[in-house]
Amino acid sequence: MHNTRIIDNDVFWVGTNDKKSPLFESVFPIPYGISYNSYLVLDEKTILLDCVDKSGSSVFFENLKYLLKGKKLDFVVINHMEPDHSAALGDLILRYPDIKIIGNSRTIPMIKQFFDFDVERHALVVKDGDEISTGKHTFVFYTAPMVHWPEVMFTFDRSNGYLYSADAFGTFGTLNGNIFADELDFDRDFLEESRRYYTNIVAKYGPQVQAVLKKLASLEVTALLPLHGPIWRKNISYYIDKYQKWSTYTPEEEGVLIAYSSVYGNTENAVNILAVKLAEAGVKKIAMFDVSVTHPSFVLSQVFRFSHLVLASTTYNAGIFINMETLIHCIAAHNVKNRTIAFIENGSWAATSGKMMKEVLSDLENTTFLDNTVSLKSSVKQDNIIEIENLTKAITTSFKAHGKQTIYEANTINEVKIEPEAFFKITYGLFVLSAAKDTKSSLAGNHSGCIINTVMQITDDPKQIVIAVNKLNYTHDLIRDTGKFNISVLTTSSDFDVFKRFGFQSGRDADKFAGFEEHCKKSNNGLYYITRDTNSFFSGDVVSAIDYGTHTLFTASVSESAVLSNGVSLSYQYYFDKIKPKPAPIQKSSGKNVYVCRICGYIQEYDGELPDDYICPLCKHPKADMELQN
Ligand code: FEO
């Protein structure tokens, strides 16, 4: 029986899932299975984007038959010829004998290698940048050699912004009904497997991935449709940023991966002691794997995740222990870079595995090898404890040298006092933060904005900023859902109206931009920025979000920025002194306490002290901003 899912209008998922195969490519364990995605577009001419693995071909053909309803299948695009996507091609030709196969000059010879049918009769060869229209849709083809085979190409649908990205942006793991990344918990259920997929299948070709990312940078991509795993139609920049990191061999986490092999448990004893000492020194992120137990594909994935590697191996047959040797060669073969690496070796008569591991890895670029190899003779002795302590120190010193925040001062028991006034010494600005549900629509409620006071540049190259946004704000939810925002920097010429407009009403109830159009423009991301009483604006693409209870801290890469005027940036202090209206004298009544919100001036009478969870009903600021009037 057919099993399809609509993606949008005339675009359908017609792929399959494989939970039965224990291994992918006969080598990588897939405990959560894998999906083989195929996409069908029912335009005036019908077009299929890739096929599926032989494991799912019967349902795949039922899917096509069901959706085509007797119509001809005009085209099949072969973005990737590897059999996990093309195995069904031979049968497809038998069922749809007039079909044209769209591929590039490398695809067609490869089809001939795998199949015996008359390929030339069906072939429609395209070059980089060529287009084919099927009616409403226009497909543009971009070659993407070595992501993951030489014939790979991506297909971009210019009419809706869909990018059919072959293996890129794929992941291990089946699609269990939910085929969109935004309708499942990607970080919880797919991120580990997605990293493992990338690092083992594609990572060797990081420069090629970089080349393709640059080639695609000018396209307005609205959705990523990979051949494995979920489709991305929201917060695409989050996943592209992961690819940016992985393909540049940039560690995702400042932390220590310890991979070890241990025949009788003594090397294991040493790495456990090291892990405790690292933890006591304040290292929070430590991962540890026995390479004889855990498949190297999982460990390689963690190699890409962490900044520091400790590789510990028994000396075995005058070489590196078998499973560790596999991992070491795996690291070398995937051209890992930008890491700090240390070794622990063991040998009852000739402990040389540390030296040999280093030799295999010696060509890794931009890699620091710590000179503090721990050398065990059979088991951990007191001298080794000193070596382990020295290695711990070398690792933590290396973190500090890189200015990373991974090292925390442990066991500090000084009395901690927080003086709120100290925070007022930090120069807060005031900003209009804007976002939209649908940038293409001007309907009320699609665009919204709020006032925030926390914007900070955190890196210069790439340009990245962080913003803190109250979770009660509607704008917060828009950013969470779309991953995009604009910041407009207010100046001292601002009047109180802009604060009333954006700060003291909710975007859920009011169209904040209504009647304000002449004071706004749209930036290239389709969002409004404010042109009146502002001196600059920034467009941000969210790369990470951290939940801090009442607020979310969004880190974003800046995609656009411009200076709008020479006005002086508005500080919090200036706002209080010169812009916020002074409250009228308060008439106390009925013996209740009177509180005035220092942010918006809201007056709250209350019998007794305000509760700790009080929130100003107007501007949503907490009890700390409510001043008791005497
Ligand atoms: Fe999913 Fe390279 O095949």
Side-chain angles (χ1 to χ4, degrees):
M1 176 57 81
H2 61 82
N3 179 33
T4 66
R5 204 172 154 193
I6 187 166
I7 294 171
D8 187 24
N9 295 318
D10 51 0
V11 185
F12 298 84
W13 179 82
V14 291
T16 60
N17 287 300
D18 179 4
K19 284 186 189 292
K20 278 198 167 54
S21 302
L23 298 175
F24 180 69
E25 292 185 355
S26 296
V27 60
F28 304 109
I30 41 172
Y32 307 105
I34 190 161
S35 74
Y36 304 106
N37 298 340
S38 172
Y39 304 99
L40 180 67
V41 182
L42 296 177
D43 202 359
E44 289 162 33
K45 299 263 185 196
T46 55
I47 184 165
L48 178 70
L49 292 115
D50 290 287
C51 303
V52 295
D53 182 66
K54 62 176 182 296
S55 61
S57 61
S58 64
V59 170
F60 168 69
F61 284 118
E62 290 204 49
N63 290 345
L64 294 182
K65 189 174 163 195
Y66 165 70
L67 287 170
L68 285 165
K69 298 193 182 350
K71 273 182 92 176
K72 220 170 105 188
L73 182 55
D74 295 296
F75 300 107
V76 57
V77 178
I78 300 295
N79 282 314
H80 188 14
M81 233 335 264
E82 195 167 5
D84 56 328
H85 309 294
S86 69
L89 182 62
D91 281 352
L92 190 81
I93 301 297
L94 293 177
R95 288 164 193 256
Y96 303 96
D98 296 327
I99 196 169
K100 286 288 176 201
I101 303 173
I102 300 174
N104 58 57
S105 59
R106 285 179 152 158
T107 322
I108 305 303
M110 237 177 226
I111 300 176
K112 292 177 185 170
Q113 288 169 210
F114 280 95
F115 295 100
D116 293 323
F117 64 83
D118 181 1
V119 178
E120 290 299 339
R121 190 171 83 76
H122 296 277
L124 181 51
V125 180
V126 291
K127 299 188 302 301
D128 195 57
D130 277 358
E131 296 182 3
I132 283 180
S133 173
T134 53
K136 291 199 286 282
H137 296 261
T138 300
F139 297 91
V140 192
F141 306 99
Y142 294 97
T143 55
M146 301 318 297
V147 187
H148 140 238
W149 276 17
E151 88 300 353
V152 168
M153 62 182 192
F154 293 177
T155 299
F156 180 65
D157 184 343
R158 204 204 291 279
S159 65
N160 56 14
Y162 285 11
L163 181 70
Y164 298 89
S165 59
D167 277 344
F169 308 111
T171 172
F172 294 133
T174 52
L175 295 174
N176 307 317
N178 294 319
I179 66 170
F180 301 103
D182 55 274
E183 60 181 11
L184 46 82
D185 190 334
F186 187 84
D187 277 4
R188 187 192 64 194
D189 297 334
F190 280 95
L191 182 57
E192 290 287 329
E193 285 296 85
S194 144
R195 187 191 301 105
R196 190 166 70 90
Y197 176 84
Y198 175 86
T199 51
N200 286 277
I201 309 293
V202 189
K204 183 172 177 60
Y205 307 107
Q208 287 86 344
V209 173
Q210 277 287 297
V212 171
L213 289 177
K214 285 195 180 95
K215 197 187 272 191
L216 302 175
S218 60
L219 302 180
E220 285 223 14
V221 176
T222 59
L224 300 170
L225 297 92
L227 288 177
H228 304 286
I231 296 163
W232 286 77
R233 58 184 180 180
K234 290 184 181 172
N235 202 9
I236 293 172
S237 58
Y238 166 85
Y239 204 29
I240 290 181
D241 181 63
K242 289 286 180 205
Y243 261 64
Q244 190 69 23
K245 274 204 172 71
W246 295 336
S247 60
T248 53
Y249 306 91
T250 305
E252 275 172 271
E253 309 251 25
E254 293 296 319
V256 183
L257 165 69
I258 302 171
Y260 69 93
S261 64
S262 186
V263 179
Y264 293 111
N266 292 305
T267 311
E268 182 177 39
N269 181 218
V271 294
N272 278 325
I273 293 168
L274 173 68
V276 165
K277 295 209 177 285
L278 286 168
E280 286 176 345
V283 178
K284 295 291 180 200
K285 291 173 181 168
I286 304 167
M288 189 155 35
F289 295 91
D290 182 336
V291 297
S292 296
V293 175
T294 305
H295 190 274
S297 64
F298 291 90
V299 188
L300 182 71
S301 173
Q302 300 300 312
V303 166
F304 272 73
R305 182 176 173 192
F306 285 105
S307 58
H308 288 61
L309 317 178
V310 176
L311 304 168
S313 176
T314 312
T315 308
Y316 197 78
N317 286 338
I320 306 164
F321 188 76
I322 312 153
N323 295 317
M324 179 58 81
E325 188 166 37
T326 304
L327 176 68
I328 298 279
H329 282 287
C330 204
I331 294 172
H334 285 81
N335 300 329
V336 172
K337 311 172 194 188
N338 310 325
R339 299 297 189 276
T340 299
I341 303 180
F343 302 99
I344 296 177
E345 62 185 6
N346 196 353
S348 291
W349 57 93
T352 55
S353 54
K355 184 164 162 269
M356 287 185 283
M357 287 191 283
K358 187 174 175 184
E359 271 168 17
V360 179
L361 300 176
S362 58
D363 288 337
L364 298 187
E365 289 175 30
N366 195 26
T367 294
T368 303
F369 294 101
L370 297 179
D371 289 332
N372 305 75
T373 297
V374 175
S375 191
L376 310 178
K377 263 201 164 174
S378 302
S379 64
V380 181
K381 301 294 182 198
Q382 192 53 41
D383 285 355
N384 300 127
I385 295 294
I386 294 166
E387 287 180 324
I388 292 170
E389 285 170 350
N390 287 339
L391 176 55
T392 304
K393 199 173 286 176
I395 291 170
T396 53
T397 303
S398 153
F399 279 133
K400 285 174 181 164
H402 287 94
K404 305 299 181 190
Q405 297 181 359
T406 313
I407 304 302
Y408 300 81
E409 292 304 327
N411 304 325
T412 307
I413 318 174
N414 297 331
E415 187 192 353
V416 177
K417 210 164 73 172
I418 294 177
E419 294 182 20
E421 295 75 18
F423 289 86
F424 300 148
K425 304 293 183 193
I426 298 172
T427 308
Y428 286 113
L430 282 163
F431 312 89
V432 176
L433 171 68
S434 46
K437 190 159 55 177
D438 177 1
T439 56
K440 295 197 176 97
S441 169
S442 299
L443 291 176
N446 269 318
H447 289 265
S448 194
C450 64
I451 301 285
I452 63 168
N453 59 20
T454 309
V455 177
M456 190 170 69
Q457 181 181 353
I458 52 167
T459 60
D460 189 51
D461 184 15
K463 294 265 187 294
Q464 291 187 112
I465 56 176
V466 290
I467 60 172
V469 189
N470 192 315
K471 286 156 75 174
L472 295 173
N473 284 332
Y474 178 57
T475 312
H476 170 278
D477 293 354
L478 294 176
I479 296 170
R480 181 198 59 201
D481 292 345
T482 64
K484 290 190 182 304
F485 63 81
N486 276 355
I487 290 287
S488 304
V489 181
L490 293 167
T491 66
T492 51
S493 58
S494 304
D495 60 31
F496 193 57
D497 282 348
V498 76
F499 295 93
K500 285 200 289 190
R501 173 178 288 275
F502 289 104
F504 304 158
Q505 55 181 347
S506 171
R508 292 184 181 85
D509 314 318
D511 181 358
K512 296 190 180 182
F513 285 94
F516 204 66
E517 293 84 357
E518 64 181 302
H519 306 305
C520 313
K521 279 187 181 164
K522 278 189 177 176
S523 52
N524 283 315
N525 60 5
L527 300 177
Y528 284 122
Y529 64 92
I530 314 298
T531 53
R532 189 182 77 178
D533 300 326
T534 53
N535 60 19
S536 55
F537 87 89
F538 302 85
S539 295
D541 290 328
V542 173
V543 294
S544 69
I546 303 174
D547 187 338
Y548 282 104
T550 58
H551 287 63
T552 298
L553 197 66
F554 294 104
T555 301
S557 61
V558 175
S559 60
E560 187 179 5
S561 65
V563 173
L564 304 175
S565 77
N566 292 324
V568 176
S569 298
L570 175 61
S571 70
Y572 223 13
Q573 190 67 50
Y574 192 95
Y575 168 77
F576 284 128
D577 292 348
K578 308 277 189 189
I579 295 178
K580 195 190 96 173
K582 301 284 178 280
I586 307 291
Q587 300 295 321
K588 281 196 179 188
S589 62
S590 65
K592 290 183 178 176
N593 282 332
V594 177
Y595 293 86
V596 176
C597 176
R598 64 192 300 273
I599 305 299
C600 66
Y602 181 79
I603 297 168
Q604 174 73 65
E605 289 192 28
Y606 201 82
D607 206 357
E609 191 185 343
L610 286 177
D612 288 343
D613 60 356
Y614 178 86
I615 300 286
C616 171
L618 201 52
C619 67
K620 313 297 182 206
H621 273 241
K623 175 188 172 185
D625 287 319
M626 300 300 290
E627 290 176 336
L628 177 63
Q629 307 298 300
N630 294 316

